Amino acid sequence: MTGIKITETVFRDAHQSLIATRMKTEDMLPIAQKMDKVGFYALEVWGGATFDACLRFLNEDPWERLRALRKAFKNTKLQMLLRGQNLLGYKNYPDDVVEEFIKKSIENGIDIIRIFDALNDTRNISKSIEATKKYGGHAQAAISYTTSSVHNIEYYVNLAIEMEKMGADSICIKDMSGILLPYVAEKLVRELKKNIRVPLEIHSHFTSGIANQTYMKAIEAGVDIIDTAMSPLGMGTSQPATEPMIASLEGSEFYPDIDMNLLLEITDYFKNLREKYEKEGLLNNKVLTVDVRTLKYQIPGGMLSNLVSQLQQQGALDKFEEVLEEVPRVREDLGFPPLVTPMSQMVGTQAVLNVISGERYKMIPKEVKNYVKGLYGRPAVPIKEDIRKTIIGDEEVFTGRPADLLEPQLEKYRNEIKEYIEQDEDVLTYALFPQVAIEFFKFRQSKKYRIDNQLLDNENMVYPV
Ligand code: CO
């Protein structure tokens, strides 16, 4: 049977979008057996903000989570999200760190690595694609979707062709803001399918309320895989909901090979989990309602909630609307970067600073300066002369591949944390989030904690949810 393939995101993007990435491994494992049988093409379970959140907020080792999930999912492919040369952090890492991180991700259980760059600068994803293939993984290259005068269908088709030439095993249209319109998607998918041979996936967010229709048009135009999230943690700033999306395809050639009865049992599990998160105050109404302003401001779900908390900390939540107006202006100043990590944080923080300091570019974060200096790569539109001068004065702009400036660092990292190392992966944890990692290593030394994998071995146990 053919039909559309489903990548379920409830263990990564859904909770990253709706509950600030706070889902614990112990909330995932009890439902794993059923999810493994239901017929998903893949499960997105790792990467993105989950790595940082595990260490920072949940006192969990992200590598141990991955191993536990791998053990639990015997049939379903596991997928992670990787920001190219940034890995899961917020800066560029040298090639030796990138290669080792990818090697270990695959060794610990990842099948598919979705690789993107915030600027769609392919020099920033080339090493990751190469390493993924070298260690036997599926390298999916993702297009960061945005709109501007240069971000048209031709631009995306050329980008996808280049990605395929670089060795991408599949291509994903990554619409992190939920701004890809249905009829644009139809045209985009049709043109991409004409020009590339590898499978095409679509990833959108429900933020502005249009993603269901966008998926339908993309499916009709020939997209191979769609990303959805189980309904209790779907919609809002998360993905379109899995169950209604599948139901909508009944009676068509696109209907996927999914066990609907089992799927609805899984829904019940996540319903209970959602109620628990609601009681804990993790679900904020701001991320649940359809926000049509997204269509105007192009602000992705995660960024909206970040702006709210940044303003809350400054006691300036009343400036929310003003900041939303400032975001597209800053984006234009910076050469129309897609609003995805780390560009969403840079543009968001700069917009907040521009508004609350009462003067544009009076305060400029180091990251924004480095970006303008070319250290993050090449924006699709060159930054205007006067903006560049305002931000970095007469400093030189680097035009090469940013990672070429970096010396190998793995051995240095290894030496710095000798006394804490319990597994090879710890070096990578430390490379990505040094301070948080050290705190976590200390916690791990003082109080041995282990994910209770035995939960999975006892089928008759009743799980508290
Ligand atoms: Co997403």
Side-chain angles (χ1 to χ4, degrees), residues 55-73:
L55 296 161
R56 197 182 296 265
F57 305 116
L58 306 175
N59 268 330
E60 281 190 32
D61 178 2
W63 299 99
E64 221 167 281
R65 169 181 291 186
L66 177 54
R67 288 190 288 267
L69 290 170
R70 179 72 284 168
K71 199 175 153 202
F73 289 99

Side-chain angles (χ1 to χ4, degrees), residues 200-321:
L200 182 64
E201 181 154 356
I202 188 165
H203 173 92
S204 187
H205 288 253
F206 194 75
T207 320
S208 67
I210 59 169
N212 285 354
Q213 292 90 304
T214 300
Y215 276 17
M216 287 302 273
K217 296 312 282 183
I219 290 167
E220 287 168 10
V223 87
D224 301 285
I225 312 157
I226 57 172
D227 284 12
T228 59
M230 292 302 296
S231 61
L233 289 168
M235 298 172 287
T237 54
S238 173
Q239 269 70 62
T242 306
E243 310 89 316
M245 202 67 230
I246 293 173
S248 306
L249 299 170
E250 204 173 330
S252 79
E253 63 189 292
F254 309 113
Y255 193 69
D257 196 2
I258 292 262
D259 180 342
M260 259 320 229
N261 290 327
L262 186 57
L263 189 69
L264 297 182
E265 288 177 34
I266 299 167
T267 306
D268 286 341
Y269 176 85
F270 285 108
K271 248 189 206 156
N272 289 331
L273 207 52
R274 180 195 164 107
E275 276 166 27
K276 188 186 92 161
Y277 295 141
E278 273 175 332
K279 281 193 199 119
E280 289 170 3
L282 283 169
L283 265 174
N284 182 329
N285 244 335
K286 271 200 153 55
V287 299
L288 293 177
T289 42
V290 163
D291 194 338
V292 288
R293 291 174 302 189
T294 298
L295 293 172
K296 181 175 174 191
Y297 302 116
Q298 300 210 340
I299 296 179
M303 186 173 167
L304 270 178
S305 46
N306 272 340
L307 287 176
V308 171
S309 72
Q310 271 184 330
L311 287 169
Q312 247 161 4
Q313 279 164 21
Q314 303 291 323
L317 202 54
D318 58 314
K319 298 276 204 305
F320 188 54
E321 295 296 321

Side-chain angles (χ1 to χ4, degrees), residues 9 12-14 16-17 44 81 114 174-177 203-205 227 237-239 300-301 340:
T9 67
R12 206 286 297 176
D13 206 346
Q16 182 173 330
S17 298
E44 192 185 58
L81 179 67
R114 174 175 292 169
K174 180 175 159 61
D175 173 26
M176 53 281 165
S177 317
H203 173 92
S204 187
H205 288 253
D227 284 12
T237 54
S238 173
Q239 269 70 62
V340 62

Side-chain angles (χ1 to χ4, degrees), residues 11-12 15-16 21 45-55 62 65:
F11 290 157
R12 206 286 297 176
H15 74 104
Q16 182 173 330
T21 334
V45 297
W46 213 62
T50 63
F51 193 96
D52 189 5
C54 268
L55 296 161
R65 169 181 291 186

